[in-house]
Amino acid sequence: MSQTFSRIDQLAQFVGQTVTVRGWVSHLRSSGKVAFIVMRDGSATPLQCVLVKKQMPEEDWARFAALTLESSLAVTGEVRADDRAPGGYELGASALAIIGASPLDYPIQPKEHGIDFLLDNRHLWLRSPRQVAIARVRHEVEQAIHDFFYERGFLHVDTPILTASQGERSGLFSTEYFDEGMAYLAQTGQLYGEAAAAAFGRIYTFGPTFRAEKSKTRRHLTEFWMIEPEMAWYDQAMNQDLQEEFVCYLVERCLTRRAAELKELERDISKLETVKAPFPRIPYTEAVEILQKKGSNITWGDDLGAEDEALLVADYDRPVFVCNYPKEAKAFYMKENPDDPRTVLCADLLAHEGYGEMIGGSQREDDHDKLVARIQHEGLPMEAYGWYLDLRKYGTFVHSGFGLGLERTVAWICGVQHIRECIAFPRMMHRVRP
Amino acid sequence: MSQTFSRIDQLAQFVGQTVTVRGWVSHLRSSGKVAFIVMRDGSATPLQCVLVKKQMPEEDWARFAALTLESSLAVTGEVRADDRAPGGYELGASALAIIGASPLDYPIQPKEHGIDFLLDNRHLWLRSPRQVAIARVRHEVEQAIHDFFYERGFLHVDTPILTASQGERSGLFSTEYFDEGMAYLAQTGQLYGEAAAAAFGRIYTFGPTFRAEKSKTRRHLTEFWMIEPEMAWYDQAMNQDLQEEFVCYLVERCLTRRAAELKELERDISKLETVKAPFPRIPYTEAVEILQKKGSNITWGDDLGAEDEALLVADYDRPVFVCNYPKEAKAFYMKENPDDPRTVLCADLLAHEGYGEMIGGSQREDDHDKLVARIQHEGLPMEAYGWYLDLRKYGTFVHSGFGLGLERTVAWICGVQHIRECIAFPRMMHRVRP
């Protein structure tokens, strides 16, 4: 069965030969004696099939009239190179078979639809060229992430989704766990990643994380994917060097291998071509001064809001690190900054063009007693952190890590405003179907 | 900081040179004037450091006496090639610094521990050579999976973990989802994968799946990772061809790149070297006859139990497909077998050596009305499957797919009896910590 069928992305090797392609109707037009079927099969840019009445059996030609949007079909014909064709090739059809007809009420028509309607029909919306392009960029980013770490000797570790409570955190989804009480869906794999770094040296996690927060911004999902590398013997400077190298690698990979998709998305790639190391590194305290001069009401100690972030990156053509935030604004596990103990050794990486925070990272507190004091100060339950404290008790080690939000990164590379389009089936406050 | 330190897996390029390696103490021994530190850093086989009293500063030599298991340290010395050394190299130490001491009560000592104790200390148990080896094989399998599908033009799709109910299934973890009622943790991504196959052609998922089942066998976890490819225009024969190619690829990759780890695990690799296509394909009906002749009580219509599976594969040196099970024993979405409508077009792939089911796969029912009848027959709520039926309504297509259990595959390749060792932090009925 397979031998006689070809995918659109393989047609380059069949120029001048007759092949059969299967897929779905994206677009139809006809001028009486010549008809055109634009056909998609998910592998590449849709293919234009050209039907000439007098060059086909009468019954095959007659089938064209019955075709509807999203009908599945098989078209046999000669592969022709044609620079005017979207993918560089077209098919001169000699036979047409309808496999599965599609009624005329196919929900997604070539017109404007509301976002709720599109999300209700996400299983069909995924077939649209823009959604296919985003999905293909997402996959490229994912494979690039795995390749980047594999090439550098990092071990991939899958940290648990179901976890016993690690304190009074808010925004947790919970479920009954047999006779063990409640379990919670992980908001991060980091603490487990630190244990793994002590075992395997350099590791990264790649998994879904959850936030049961009632936020409805274009940068939030309740279920999203995070990549969290953790490195033994890396201080915060090395951590930021790695992040720079990592982000440049992902961008370069998409520019090289997903140019067609970025074009489909009308992405201004000149904004990506400038993404080169080194990225500016602005200490938080300096960032506050810059923002105040630019008119922001921020005062020292506040976290940066989305508007502050946009204001700060406006002058740059690449992502920007904001370093060493106030201790009180950040998580308990970040290492105190020896040069200014009001602050911690951390950095957020803000995408330029106003896409906001893409990475948060820090050096971890490796002093057992200082970490105990931080846990007490924050009012967290010490007993939940026994195993985490063990990492400082038995052979403590300098280590650092970061978390990259996958959908935010894909949104930025694609130039998409809302991250809900950057995952196949987005989960938001009012959205758990389909 | 980074420039002056080396990882154990990089030492081959520094023979004859002096480097500093950081890591943790795995093993110590001394004969008065010569001392040995076996040191692990997670990157490779632990490194033997040789300390000679008269070749070191007195204070560095004195530190050796204070060393304990799992202390973190930095050792500086000359890299020497030595065929007798476990990794092929040793370090002739000239300096020793203790970074983080480890108290003498380090829980995991070189003696037998009970499994509950080890699982309570999983964050430390991960540092043991056997556990490091399994983790490294797991990562190799994971990267090989991504590479296999990337090279073949499959698109990686992340299907949702939180889903609205898809019927009366048992064994579901549930959580309150804002004002939307209950949401459930996914047991499979397949139905979403089918929607994605209609959009992208060939896809695969790679994510955690959940079973809230009170089973306590060595082949069950409540949280485990599954890989679920789904292919437009593949019938069941092509589906099985792909599975064969896939499993051979994974085994070959581990044999080639993880030989040291398989040796550490004392795996009999002759049992893996015979894993070559084609795999035997035994129809279910024939399997029942074979089993009955071998003394099993199975009758036509029963699913195969673990003992039946072991009995059936005993004659083979590679995995075995059992094909076309009775309809009633399998899920509603499997396509009826036109040659014997009592059965469906499906296959389970059973690992040889008694490791049991590794893959379950099938061709999917693509006839809208037959699928509706199956949903009614099983008493499933039709309204929950509206979007799934849409895939048969708008351009239906022949398609097939399968699910590979990651931990079972890793257990089989490693020759590990219980899959709880094949994931970093296993989740079982009585185990949600650490």
Side-chain angles (χ1 to χ4, degrees):
Chain A
M1 190 169 173
S2 62
Q3 283 63 34
T4 56
F5 288 89
S6 299
R7 276 162 57 107
I8 296 172
D9 64 356
Q10 298 167 333
L11 294 184
Q13 44 186 304
F14 295 108
V15 174
Q17 298 179 44
T18 294
V19 301
T20 299
V21 180
R22 281 178 299 201
W24 291 263
V25 173
S26 286
H27 187 68
L28 297 164
R29 69 197 154 87
S30 166
S31 62
K33 290 175 180 170
V34 183
F36 300 89
I37 304 169
V38 179
M39 177 181 184
R40 61 167 193 85
D41 75 351
S43 72
T45 306
L47 173 69
Q48 175 163 287
C49 308
V50 184
L51 291 71
V52 179
K53 187 176 178 179
K54 58 184 179 187
Q55 294 172 4
M56 291 183 82
E58 208 165 307
E59 57 182 11
D60 288 49
W61 171 259
R63 286 183 191 122
F64 177 83
L67 282 180
T68 53
L69 204 60
E70 288 300 322
S71 289
S72 54
L73 73 174
V75 183
T76 304
E78 188 191 347
V79 180
R80 299 193 288 238
D82 186 336
D83 289 341
R84 296 162 305 171
Y89 303 93
E90 64 173 28
L91 202 67
S94 52
L96 163 64
I98 299 177
I99 297 169
S102 180
L104 285 168
D105 67 349
Y106 183 71
I108 299 176
Q109 295 291 327
K111 62 165 192 170
E112 286 285 314
H113 292 287
I115 184 65
D116 283 331
F117 180 84
L118 289 170
L119 287 170
D120 286 342
N121 289 285
R122 183 63 172 166
H123 57 296
L124 303 173
W125 187 26
L126 285 177
R127 305 176 179 189
S128 304
R130 176 180 161 88
Q131 301 304 315
V132 173
I134 295 171
R136 289 171 63 83
V137 172
R138 179 183 169 112
H139 180 206
E140 194 63 45
V141 171
E142 293 186 321
Q143 184 69 25
I145 290 167
H146 291 301
D147 291 347
F148 179 86
F149 290 116
Y150 186 80
E151 290 163 6
R152 284 158 184 76
F154 284 61
L155 201 78
H156 182 200
V157 175
D158 297 299
T159 52
I161 312 302
L162 291 168
T163 58
S165 172
Q166 251 131 49
E168 324 281 296
R169 296 208 201 144
S170 62
L172 287 164
F173 288 109
S174 61
T175 185
E176 276 183 57
Y177 197 86
F178 305 104
D179 303 328
E180 303 291 314
M182 300 304 282
Y184 302 88
L185 299 192
Q187 291 185 329
T188 168
Q190 180 202 312
L191 306 194
Y192 293 99
E194 290 183 52
F200 313 128
R202 302 176 196 172
I203 67 96
Y204 74 107
T205 74
F206 191 120
T209 51
F210 301 86
R211 301 282 157 91
E213 282 164 8
K214 293 192 174 182
S215 49
K216 294 202 288 184
T217 83
R218 62 190 175 84
R219 287 161 58 189
H220 288 89
L221 297 169
T222 58
E223 176 181 324
F224 58 100
W225 288 68
M226 276 234 285
I227 292 84
E228 298 182 280
E230 190 75 32
M231 296 77 70
W233 313 116
Y234 272 50
D235 63 15
Q236 176 59 10
M238 293 166 69
N239 190 17
Q240 288 178 239
D241 290 347
L242 181 73
Q243 291 168 45
E244 249 169 30
E245 187 186 357
F246 181 48
V247 169
C248 293
Y249 183 98
L250 300 183
V251 169
E252 176 62 29
R253 179 85 168 242
C254 290
L255 286 172
T256 310
R257 303 198 192 178
R258 287 294 173 260
E261 287 74 13
L262 294 174
K263 193 177 169 198
E264 169 70 38
L265 294 165
E266 298 175 347
R267 179 64 167 128
D268 177 358
I269 58 167
S270 73
K271 295 284 200 290
L272 296 174
E273 287 165 341
T274 54
V275 177
K276 304 278 180 201
F279 298 163
R281 301 184 182 199
I282 309 175
Y284 167 85
T285 301
E286 199 179 311
V288 168
E289 287 164 16
I290 294 170
L291 286 168
Q292 285 170 343
K293 275 182 204 151
K294 287 189 171 196
S296 166
N297 291 324
I298 193 171
T299 58
W300 200 98
D302 296 343
D303 210 344
L304 269 62
E307 280 180 35
D308 289 322
E309 290 180 357
L311 208 55
L312 192 66
V313 302
D315 302 333
Y316 298 99
D317 64 353
R318 63 197 69 193
V320 176
F321 284 114
V322 180
C323 315
N324 301 350
Y325 281 71
K327 197 186 280 183
E328 303 297 331
K330 290 290 176 183
F332 72 95
Y333 49 71
M334 296 190 181
K335 189 169 178 67
E336 195 177 276
N337 180 3
D339 296 334
D340 180 358
R342 298 177 306 164
T343 65
V344 285
L345 296 173
C346 74
D348 287 351
L349 183 66
L350 311 180
H352 61 309
E353 300 177 84
Y355 281 88
E357 184 190 337
M358 201 162 40
I359 286 180
S362 71
Q363 188 168 334
R364 318 309 188 184
E365 185 55 76
D366 50 26
D367 182 292
H368 181 275
D369 295 346
K370 281 191 179 171
L371 190 59
V372 166
R374 284 298 299 274
I375 291 171
Q376 281 168 338
H377 179 76
E378 305 253 333
L380 297 167
M382 197 64 67
E383 67 282 5
Y385 292 97
W387 68 268
Y388 186 65
L389 286 165
D390 276 356
L391 309 178
R392 281 72 181 170
K393 184 174 173 188
Y394 301 110
T396 195
F397 61 118
V398 170
H399 62 294
S400 299
F402 65 93
L404 173 100
L406 180 60
E407 288 77 15
R408 289 182 178 189
T409 304
V410 173
W412 169 60
I413 292 176
C414 288
V416 167
Q417 288 302 313
H418 200 302
I419 64 170
R420 68 190 163 207
E421 287 186 67
C422 297
I423 186 166
F425 294 92
R427 295 299 181 240
M428 293 168 288
M429 197 179 143
H430 297 299
R431 173 69 54 193
V432 69
R433 296 181 176 79
Chain B
M1 192 166 171
S2 63
Q3 283 65 33
T4 57
F5 288 90
S6 299
R7 276 162 58 106
I8 295 172
D9 64 356
Q10 297 167 334
L11 293 184
Q13 43 187 302
F14 295 108
V15 174
Q17 297 179 45
T18 294
V19 301
T20 299
V21 180
R22 281 178 298 199
W24 291 263
V25 173
S26 285
H27 186 69
L28 296 165
R29 68 195 156 89
S30 166
S31 63
K33 291 175 181 171
V34 182
F36 300 89
I37 303 169
V38 178
M39 178 181 185
R40 62 167 192 84
D41 76 349
S43 72
T45 307
L47 174 70
Q48 175 162 288
C49 308
V50 183
L51 290 71
V52 179
K53 187 176 178 178
K54 58 183 179 187
Q55 294 171 5
M56 291 183 82
E58 209 166 307
E59 57 181 10
D60 288 50
W61 171 260
R63 285 184 192 122
F64 177 83
L67 281 180
T68 53
L69 204 59
E70 287 300 323
S71 290
S72 55
L73 72 174
V75 183
T76 303
E78 188 190 348
V79 180
R80 299 194 288 237
D82 186 335
D83 290 341
R84 296 163 306 171
Y89 303 92
E90 64 173 29
L91 203 66
S94 52
L96 164 64
I98 299 177
I99 296 169
S102 179
L104 285 167
D105 68 349
Y106 183 73
I108 299 176
Q109 294 291 329
K111 62 166 193 168
E112 286 286 315
H113 292 286
I115 184 65
D116 282 330
F117 179 83
L118 289 171
L119 286 170
D120 285 342
N121 288 285
R122 183 62 173 167
H123 57 295
L124 304 174
W125 186 27
L126 285 178
R127 303 177 179 188
S128 303
R130 176 180 161 88
Q131 300 305 315
V132 173
I134 295 170
R136 290 171 62 83
V137 172
R138 180 182 169 112
H139 180 206
E140 194 63 43
V141 171
E142 293 186 319
Q143 184 68 27
I145 290 168
H146 292 300
D147 291 347
F148 179 86
F149 290 116
Y150 187 79
E151 290 164 6
R152 284 159 185 76
F154 283 60
L155 201 78
H156 182 201
V157 176
D158 298 299
T159 52
I161 312 302
L162 291 168
T163 58
S165 172
Q166 250 131 51
E168 325 280 296
R169 296 210 199 143
S170 61
L172 287 165
F173 288 109
S174 62
T175 185
E176 275 183 57
Y177 196 86
F178 306 103
D179 304 326
E180 303 291 313
M182 299 305 282
Y184 302 88
L185 300 192
Q187 290 186 330
T188 167
Q190 180 201 314
L191 306 194
Y192 293 99
E194 291 183 53
F200 313 128
R202 302 176 195 171
I203 66 97
Y204 74 106
T205 74
F206 191 121
T209 51
F210 301 86
R211 301 281 158 93
E213 281 165 7
K214 294 193 174 182
S215 48
K216 295 202 288 185
T217 84
R218 63 189 174 84
R219 287 161 58 190
H220 287 89
L221 297 170
T222 58
E223 177 182 323
F224 58 99
W225 288 67
M226 276 234 285
I227 292 84
E228 297 183 279
E230 190 75 32
M231 297 77 70
W233 312 117
Y234 273 51
D235 63 15
Q236 176 60 10
M238 293 167 70
N239 190 16
Q240 288 178 237
D241 290 347
L242 181 73
Q243 292 168 45
E244 249 168 31
E245 187 187 355
F246 182 47
V247 169
C248 293
Y249 182 97
L250 300 183
V251 169
E252 176 62 28
R253 179 88 168 241
C254 290
L255 286 172
T256 311
R257 303 197 193 178
R258 288 293 174 260
E261 286 76 13
L262 295 173
K263 192 176 170 198
E264 169 71 39
L265 294 165
E266 298 175 348
R267 179 64 167 128
D268 177 358
I269 59 166
S270 72
K271 296 285 200 289
L272 296 175
E273 286 165 341
T274 54
V275 177
K276 304 279 180 201
F279 299 163
R281 301 184 183 200
I282 309 175
Y284 167 86
T285 300
E286 200 180 309
V288 169
E289 287 163 16
I290 295 170
L291 286 168
Q292 285 169 343
K293 275 182 201 149
K294 288 190 170 193
S296 167
N297 291 325
I298 193 170
T299 58
W300 200 98
D302 296 344
D303 210 344
L304 269 63
E307 281 180 33
D308 289 323
E309 290 180 357
L311 208 55
L312 191 66
V313 300
D315 302 334
Y316 298 97
D317 64 354
R318 63 196 70 192
V320 175
F321 284 113
V322 179
C323 315
N324 301 350
Y325 282 71
K327 198 185 282 183
E328 303 297 331
K330 291 289 177 183
F332 73 95
Y333 49 73
M334 296 190 182
K335 189 170 178 66
E336 194 177 276
N337 180 4
D339 295 336
D340 179 358
R342 298 177 307 164
T343 65
V344 284
L345 296 174
C346 74
D348 286 351
L349 183 65
L350 311 179
H352 61 308
E353 302 177 82
Y355 280 88
E357 184 190 337
M358 200 162 40
I359 286 180
S362 71
Q363 187 167 334
R364 317 309 188 185
E365 184 56 76
D366 51 26
D367 182 292
H368 181 275
D369 295 346
K370 281 191 179 170
L371 189 59
V372 166
R374 285 297 301 274
I375 291 171
Q376 282 168 338
H377 179 76
E378 306 253 331
L380 296 167
M382 197 64 67
E383 67 282 5
Y385 292 96
W387 69 266
Y388 185 65
L389 287 164
D390 277 355
L391 308 178
R392 282 73 182 169
K393 185 175 173 188
Y394 300 109
T396 194
F397 61 118
V398 170
H399 61 294
S400 299
F402 65 91
L404 173 100
L406 180 60
E407 288 77 15
R408 290 182 177 189
T409 304
V410 173
W412 169 60
I413 292 177
C414 288
V416 166
Q417 288 303 312
H418 201 302
I419 64 170
R420 66 188 165 209
E421 288 186 67
C422 298
I423 187 167
F425 294 91
R427 294 299 181 240
M428 294 169 288
M429 198 179 141
H430 296 300
R431 173 69 53 193
V432 70
R433 296 180 177 78

